Amino acid sequence: METDVRARRRGYAEAAFRTLPDRYLGGEPGFHAVYRIKLADIGVTWEVTADHHGARVQPGCGHRRPDCVITTDSVTWLRLHRSEITGVQAFTNRQLTARGNLDLAMGFEGRFRRLDGGQPFARIYDVPVGRLRISTLTMGSGRDVILLHGLGATKASFVDTAAALSAHYRVHALDLPGFGSSSKPATAPYTPRWFAARVLDWMDEVGIRRAHLVGNSMGGHISIEIALEEPRRIGAVGLLCPALAFVRRELWPMVRLARPEFGVLPHRVHRALVAGQFWDMVADRDRVDPAIGDIAVDEFRRIYDSAGARYAFLSAARNIYLTPPFGRHGFYPRLAELSVPALFLWGTHDPLVPAAFARHVAQWLPRAEQIILENCGHIPQVERPEQTNGLLRRFFAHADALTDAPSPWADVDAA
């Protein structure tokens, strides 16, 4: 009986793989990727080779090293095939894992139209912004929510949040310029205001008039800059352990003299070092699947191999630390001018941005909502996804309810 079940599942899976070439949406010029897909429960492996000409499938493992390996089970694969679940949701539910180029893995289903002929529910694509390309994961429908990652991270750090919010919103997780699969300009300043301007350019390019923002760490700082620059285009901002201006800056003279240009020199970071830094940002390791940590570490090392990524990382880190807290153009006097609803989430065990920053927000922006998560580190959307996403949903629902009344941005809507 068990053999019959495996045989049927194998047959169904094989039939699903055979439909891929006809459903392929094509690739941009120069695109070429080899996906190895393992269905662990029935012991079957398939390879899908995709380029700008088409997609080819074959059972077994080819001779070329795959660009990414996707591991799941036959039942999940068939649910993906029938569009009953998205790849992002399967990943969030830990029904699917990926190694290698994570961006390719997340974008796999977005390269094939659905069985009913419709466009995929989730898709990764490059948005041209001037001379830059900003890699974007978009899924869901409704009002727009933009997710901005932290320093050294990518849009993959928001996979759980994207899946959770996509039930009610059209969610866009961006790779900021200099990070992930986005362009890495060698002459960019990589200041928070520069990032904010590029995100606003991205909004213009894709036709988004107004959106909610969610930012973690550096992405939180950038979200604040966007809301200060264009408040009528932002509904509300959810800030997860945002990297605000440091008040105590003993290392300021040394950091000011540091030259991020040296980062372009070839060098690699040991895996153990990156892994140690990742897990140091987590307060309770039992809350995070070890496979998630492995994926994050591998993705950081893969991207950091690029000289442009190293320069962007070091420049952005330096600029965040050098942000002046006070004075005429200081961060906190400007924060007091923030007019959109803001939610700050802090972790009691955050080693990078301590929860003590809440007192500065209370002083300069007392109307903001602040919540401190007990026994949580620097990446609450990874360590406490259900709690964090629940708080974001509640916060945005409240903001949406307020804007359903006569809007102070009616002139924008009418434009």
Side-chain angles (χ1 to χ4, degrees):
M1 182 65 178
E2 183 177 349
T3 301
D4 292 342
V5 171
R6 285 172 59 92
R8 284 200 301 271
R9 289 183 178 179
R10 182 178 183 129
Y12 294 147
E14 180 175 348
F17 275 107
R18 295 299 183 190
T19 69
L20 293 179
D22 291 336
R23 296 191 288 121
Y24 186 57
L25 292 170
E28 58 276 14
F31 173 74
H32 188 279
V34 177
Y35 304 86
R36 183 171 294 167
I37 301 172
K38 298 181 177 181
L39 304 185
D41 63 321
I42 57 175
V44 172
T45 299
W46 283 75
E47 278 199 354
V48 180
T49 303
D51 55 31
H52 64 286
H53 296 297
R56 300 173 298 280
V57 298
Q58 65 179 29
C61 302
H63 297 294
R64 175 177 168 171
R65 182 177 180 181
D67 295 294
C68 69
V69 178
I70 299 172
T71 303
T72 185
D73 60 85
S74 60
V75 174
T76 300
W77 176 253
L78 292 173
R79 293 190 68 200
L80 291 167
H81 172 66
R82 294 190 291 261
S83 300
E84 296 173 0
I85 188 174
T86 68
V88 171
Q89 290 168 335
F91 181 84
T92 297
N93 295 336
R94 307 301 179 249
Q95 297 166 322
L96 179 152
T97 62
R99 301 303 294 267
N101 188 320
L102 187 58
D103 217 47
L104 286 176
M106 289 194 301
F108 178 79
E109 72 171 303
R111 294 194 173 273
F112 303 90
R113 72 173 49 87
R114 304 199 309 266
L115 288 177
D116 61 7
Q119 293 294 309
F121 292 122
R123 190 167 191 179
I124 290 180
Y125 56 99
D126 288 337
V127 177
V129 178
R131 296 183 178 181
L132 305 178
R133 293 175 300 99
I134 295 183
S135 181
T136 306
L137 166 66
T138 295
M139 60 188 301
S141 61
R143 297 184 180 187
D144 293 290
V145 176
I146 301 170
L147 311 178
L148 303 178
H149 61 78
L151 180 69
T154 69
K155 58 182 174 292
S157 66
F158 271 116
V159 166
D160 285 353
T161 301
L165 296 182
S166 65
H168 303 285
Y169 296 94
R170 183 170 65 157
V171 183
H172 314 270
L174 276 58
D175 279 342
L176 292 165
F179 297 85
S181 296
S182 292
S183 298
K184 301 170 178 62
T187 58
Y190 292 114
T191 62
R193 288 190 177 185
W194 180 84
F195 283 119
R198 301 294 76 76
V199 174
L200 287 166
D201 291 342
W202 175 90
M203 291 176 66
D204 291 338
E205 186 65 33
V206 299
I208 295 177
R209 290 182 177 178
R210 187 186 306 131
H212 297 315
L213 297 176
V214 179
N216 173 229
S217 191
M218 178 183 75
H221 191 140
I222 295 167
S223 297
I224 292 172
E225 294 291 348
I226 295 170
L228 288 171
E229 182 68 23
E230 291 283 354
R232 293 191 302 177
R233 300 190 66 180
I234 304 304
V237 289
L239 307 166
L240 315 180
C241 305
L244 308 184
F246 289 89
V247 175
R248 298 180 58 183
R249 299 191 297 166
E250 294 87 348
L251 300 178
W252 189 89
M254 184 183 304
V255 174
R256 185 176 65 87
L257 294 174
R259 303 313 311 165
E261 291 83 358
F262 290 127
V264 303
L265 298 176
H267 68 278
R268 299 195 68 183
V269 291
H270 293 294
R271 193 179 193 285
L273 176 63
V274 179
Q277 292 176 337
F278 173 84
W279 289 109
D280 282 347
M281 292 191 295
V282 174
D284 186 351
R285 296 192 179 192
D286 291 337
R287 289 183 174 271
V288 179
D289 186 340
I292 299 299
D294 290 340
I295 291 170
V297 170
D298 290 345
E299 189 73 349
F300 178 88
R301 296 182 73 230
R302 181 182 68 82
I303 296 169
Y304 197 75
D305 274 347
S306 161
R310 295 194 295 271
Y311 175 72
F313 176 87
L314 296 173
S315 295
R318 176 178 181 270
N319 290 328
I320 289 174
Y321 188 83
L322 294 180
T323 300
F326 307 117
R328 182 177 178 184
H329 301 293
F331 176 83
Y332 291 106
R334 294 178 62 243
L335 178 66
E337 301 172 3
L338 188 67
S339 59
V340 306
L343 168 67
F344 289 76
L345 298 187
W346 310 98
T348 58
H349 289 67
D350 187 338
L352 299 182
V353 184
F357 272 81
R359 69 174 181 269
H360 300 302
V361 175
Q363 176 183 353
W364 293 93
L365 192 68
R367 60 185 174 276
E369 180 180 1
Q370 300 198 73
I371 297 175
I372 297 179
L373 303 179
E374 293 294 332
N375 197 31
C376 183
H378 188 61
I379 41 177
Q381 77 274 21
V382 174
E383 186 174 358
R384 298 283 191 87
E386 292 185 1
Q387 184 178 14
T388 300
N389 298 333
L391 290 169
L392 289 172
R393 283 194 299 264
R394 187 265 304 164
F395 174 64
F396 289 146
H398 180 68
D400 291 339
L402 293 177
T403 55
D404 283 340
S407 172
W409 302 293
D411 58 324
V412 178
D413 294 331

